[in-house]
Structures are given as structure tokens and as C-alpha cells.
């Protein structure tokens, strides 16, 4: 009734000869056995007991099978999950490869379109050596708005321009192309830099076009060795002569498309063997860095004998992009007077 089997032995020995009483047919008792010695007169009785059922309950005998079943189910579930994860990873890897391929194709198309909007060749200017560079930004697959140009006006004069339309995409490229042709036309007619910017400003309005442009225009009188420049919010050009580099400060003008304010030009004398470097912001701007640091880096890179003006541009690009590239496109124009 208590759920126990028992056997009582006279004395401490547990043999059939000393057995007094038991409730089982076969001895010794099996399973979990507990014994106790009880004093009885001048001798002792040994009481041995064992439970009739498992102490863990009736289901304990099925526990190993239950553990096995749960283990098999977990193994099967993990196998299915692992296979699914592997398939998803393979699908993601395939998608990443396809995205890289499509991005590369789109980027190549954008770069080709950008280059098609730039001059195919530079004019031959007596007494002057010209060089240019265009470096696409490290990120982004849309066409940019950076451009440069050199215009032969007559035997005595030539003009140059470098500019950057804000933003990227087809709209920026369209505005860039329009400004390039407009400025080229006005420069060919012999207008001065300030006049060119004043007229070009009519072609762009930020409220309508959603873009603005920074532009630097220069006109050179080769006979008098005079350089006249005007700026619409663009960075100052760098003049290099006799081992010294100096940025030419110009009257501050707002970017094209921002406001209808007249532009003012400045004229400087060009000494023999002078070099001029004009550039867009991608050459000097770096994230988290003051702009003066980039300007000084450019000035140092432009000093020293680098051979031709083309070699100098290669040196500048190599040094300024050696450790940190630019996310923005970069246009670079170099002029050297004999």
C-alpha cells in the first residue's frame, strides 16, 4: 500500500537463512534499495526496502526515448534551417555580384557620358602648354557636373574656364553642358571674365533648375602677359613661379543661379615660366577636414620641379589621392607660360 517492497532479516546478514519476512517472490530486491538496522532485544533486525515503481514517476521509463525523439526533431529542424540559411546566403552572394556588375556598368556609362561632354582636345596656344585631368569620384554611379575648357579667342588672347554644377545626375550634366557652350560662345566673342559670368548667370536659376554652379573664368592677353580672372563662388587658382606658390585672391562672387549680382574681375601680370592650376572641389575637400588643410596640401604638391605641366598634374593627383580618394568628381586644368 505504501508502494514499497520489503524484506526483514534477523541480524545483519541478508541471506535466505536469516530472512524473517518479505512481500516479494524473488530476492534480493532490485532497483533503488535502502536498508536500515533496527535493534531487536540483544540482536538486530535488518530492514531492506525498494520502491515498486520509479521514484521519478510512471513516465520515467519513457524518458530516454523522449530525449531521443526531441533530439531527432531538433536535429531535423536545425538541418532544415541550416539548408535554408545556406540557400539565402548563396542567393545574397549572387545578388551582390549582380549588383556590383550592374553598378559597374552604370558607372562606366556615367563616366563615358561625362567625358563625352568635356572637350575632345585642347587648342594649340602659342607660347603656352596646357594639360587637363578628370577623375571620377569613388562613389556614385551618376554623371557629375565638373568641367573645364580652353578657348582660343584670337592670336593675342585665349580664355579658360573651370566649373562645377551642384549635385549629380542627368539634370546636373545638362546644366553643365549648357553653361559650357554658353561661356565658350561669349569667350569666343571677346568678352571679359566678369561680363561672361554676368551673362551666363541669366541661364541658371536655383528656384527653377534646382542647381547652382561655381565657375572660374580667365582671359589671357599673351602680348601684354596679363591674366584677368573672375569667380562665381569658385576656389582661387594657384599660381606657381620661381619655386613659390600663391593662391590668387579674387573679388567674392556668388555661384551662378543663386543671385543676380554683378561679378568683378582682377588682373595680374604673368612672369615667364609661370604655372597656373585651376581645379574643382573634389581635389581638395575631404570629409571631416578643414578646407585650408586641403588647399595647403595642393600648394605643397604643386611645388618642386615636376618637368612638364602634364607631369605636374600627374604629381598632384598622385599625392592628393594617394591615401584618401574623393567621393566627388574632380576636374583639373594646368597652364604653363614659356
Amino acid at each position: 500500500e505504501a508502494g514499497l517492497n520489503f524484506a526483514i532479516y534477523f541480524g545483519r546478514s541478508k541471506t535466505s537463512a536469516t530472512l524473517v519476512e518479505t512481500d516479494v517472490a524473488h530476492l534480493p530486491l532490485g532497483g533503488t534499495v535502502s536498508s536500515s538496522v533496527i535493534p531487536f532485544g540483544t540482536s538486530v533486525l535488518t530492514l531492506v526496502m525498494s520502491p515498486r515503481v520509479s521514484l521519478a514517476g510512471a513516465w520515467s521509463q519513457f524518458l530516454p526515448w523522449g530525449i531521443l525523439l526531441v533530439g531527432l526533431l531538433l536535429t531535423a529542424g536545425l538541418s532544415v534551417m541550416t539548408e535554408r540559411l545556406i540557400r539565402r546566403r548563396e542567393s545574397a552572394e549572387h545578388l551582390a555580384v549582380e549588383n556590383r556588375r550592374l553598378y559597374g556598368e552604370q558607372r562606366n556609362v556615367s563616366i563615358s557620358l561625362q567625358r563625352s561632354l568635356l572637350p575632345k582636345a585642347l587648342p594649340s596656344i602659342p607660347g603656352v602648354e596646357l594639360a587637363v585631368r578628370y577623375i571620377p569620384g569613388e562613389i556614385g554611379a551618376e554623371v557629375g557636373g565638373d568641367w573645364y575648357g580652353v578657348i582660343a579667342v584670337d592670336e593675342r588672347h585665349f580664355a579658360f574656364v573651370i566649373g562645377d554644377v551642384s549635385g549629380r545626375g542627368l539634370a546636373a550634366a545638362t546644366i553643365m553642358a549648357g553653361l559650357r557652350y554658353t561661356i565658350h560662345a561669349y569667350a569666343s566673342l571677346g568678352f571679359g571674365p566678369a561680363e561672361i559670368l554676368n551673362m551666363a548667370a541669366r541661364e541658371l536659376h536655383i528656384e527653377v533648375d534646382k542647381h547652382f554652379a561655381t565657375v572660374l573664368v580667365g582671359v589671357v592677353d599673351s602680348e601684354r602677359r596679363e591674366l584677368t580672372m573672375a569667380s562665381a563662388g569658385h576656389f582661387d587658382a594657384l599660381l606657381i613661379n620661381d619655386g613659390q606658390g600663391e593662391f590668387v585672391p579674387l573679388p567674392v562672387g556668388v555661384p551662378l543661379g543663386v543671385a543676380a549680382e554683378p561679378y568683378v574681375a582682377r588682373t595680374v601680370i604673368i612672369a615667364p615660366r609661370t604655372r597656373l592650376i585651376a581645379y574643382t572641389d573634389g581635389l581638395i575637400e575631404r570629409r571631416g577636414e578643414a578646407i585650408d588643410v586641403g588647399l595647403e596640401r595642393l600648394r605643397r604638391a604643386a611645388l618642386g620641379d615636376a618637368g612638364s605641366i602634364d607631369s605636374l598634374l600627374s604629381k598632384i593627383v598622385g599625392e592628393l589621392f594617394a591615401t584618401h580618394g574623393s567621393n566627388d568628381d574632380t576636374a583639373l586644368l594646368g597652364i604653363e607660360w614659356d
Side-chain angles (χ1 to χ4, degrees):
E1 292 181 2
L4 297 175
N5 293 322
F6 70 90
I8 301 175
Y9 298 92
F10 185 80
R12 298 179 181 275
S13 177
K14 303 173 186 178
T15 62
S16 58
T18 60
L19 178 63
V20 176
E21 186 176 356
T22 183
D23 63 346
V24 298
H26 302 285
L27 292 174
L29 299 178
T32 303
V33 177
S34 176
S35 62
S36 178
V37 176
I38 302 171
F40 183 73
T42 59
S43 185
V44 295
L45 295 176
T46 301
L47 175 62
V48 181
M49 294 178 293
S50 68
R52 294 176 181 172
V53 297
S54 172
L55 294 177
W59 291 100
S60 62
Q61 56 182 321
F62 301 107
L63 182 61
W65 296 103
I67 294 174
L68 177 61
L69 179 60
V70 171
L72 291 174
L73 292 175
L74 287 175
T75 302
L78 290 174
S79 298
V80 172
M81 184 181 297
T82 301
E83 182 180 1
R84 184 176 300 175
L85 290 175
I86 291 174
R87 289 180 180 177
R88 287 185 178 179
R89 186 189 66 182
E90 292 174 349
S91 177
E93 291 175 349
H94 176 74
L95 183 60
V97 171
E98 183 66 12
N99 285 341
R100 284 195 296 269
R101 184 187 67 80
L102 293 175
Y103 175 83
E105 290 181 357
Q106 185 179 0
R107 181 172 171 79
N108 290 335
V109 169
S110 297
I111 293 174
S112 298
L113 175 59
Q114 174 79 31
R115 295 187 184 279
S116 70
L117 296 173
L118 297 175
K120 300 296 186 293
L122 297 176
S124 178
I125 308 294
V128 172
E129 184 181 354
L130 303 170
V132 292
R133 292 289 188 278
Y134 171 75
I135 304 100
E138 290 186 343
I139 64 173
E142 292 185 305
V143 63
D146 297 49
W147 90 95
Y148 55 78
V150 179
I151 306 102
V153 180
D154 54 38
E155 293 181 357
R156 178 176 168 179
H157 300 88
F158 75 91
F160 67 86
V161 58
I162 191 161
D164 183 7
V165 177
S166 65
R168 300 178 66 85
L170 188 58
T174 302
I175 293 172
M176 179 266 281
L179 288 176
R180 177 195 161 198
Y181 293 126
T182 297
I183 292 173
H184 190 286
Y186 288 139
S188 299
L189 294 174
F191 289 101
E195 295 173 298
I196 292 173
L197 290 178
N198 287 330
M199 290 183 287
R202 304 170 189 167
E203 306 295 323
L204 181 63
H205 197 287
I206 192 170
E207 295 293 336
V208 177
D209 301 292
K210 310 303 180 183
H211 293 274
F212 63 87
T214 66
V215 184
L216 175 69
V217 178
V219 174
V220 177
D221 185 329
S222 299
E223 184 176 296
R224 303 181 62 175
R225 304 192 70 86
E226 291 180 347
L227 167 61
T228 303
M229 292 184 291
S231 172
H234 203 80
F235 288 104
D236 295 331
L238 175 65
L239 280 184
I240 307 160
N241 183 262
D242 196 24
Q244 301 296 318
E246 178 184 3
F247 292 97
V248 182
L250 299 177
V252 178
V254 297
L256 299 183
V258 173
E261 296 183 6
Y263 295 95
V264 180
R266 180 191 175 190
T267 299
V268 296
I269 302 299
I270 299 298
R273 303 299 298 175
T274 294
R275 291 174 169 178
L276 178 143
I277 306 296
Y279 49 91
T280 56
D281 56 2
L283 184 69
I284 57 173
E285 288 185 344
R286 299 294 182 269
R287 186 182 298 275
E289 181 181 85
I291 193 64
D292 290 342
V293 176
L295 290 171
E296 178 61 21
R297 184 165 51 236
L298 168 60
R299 193 189 68 83
R300 290 198 306 267
L303 299 180
D305 187 6
S308 66
I309 187 66
D310 188 76
S311 298
L312 177 60
L313 293 196
S314 296
K315 176 176 180 288
I316 291 173
V317 170
E319 291 189 15
L320 268 64
F321 289 87
T323 54
H324 299 288
S326 175
N327 294 335
D328 198 4
D329 299 340
T330 300
L332 190 60
L333 170 65
I335 304 174
E336 181 174 12
W337 283 266
D338 293 339

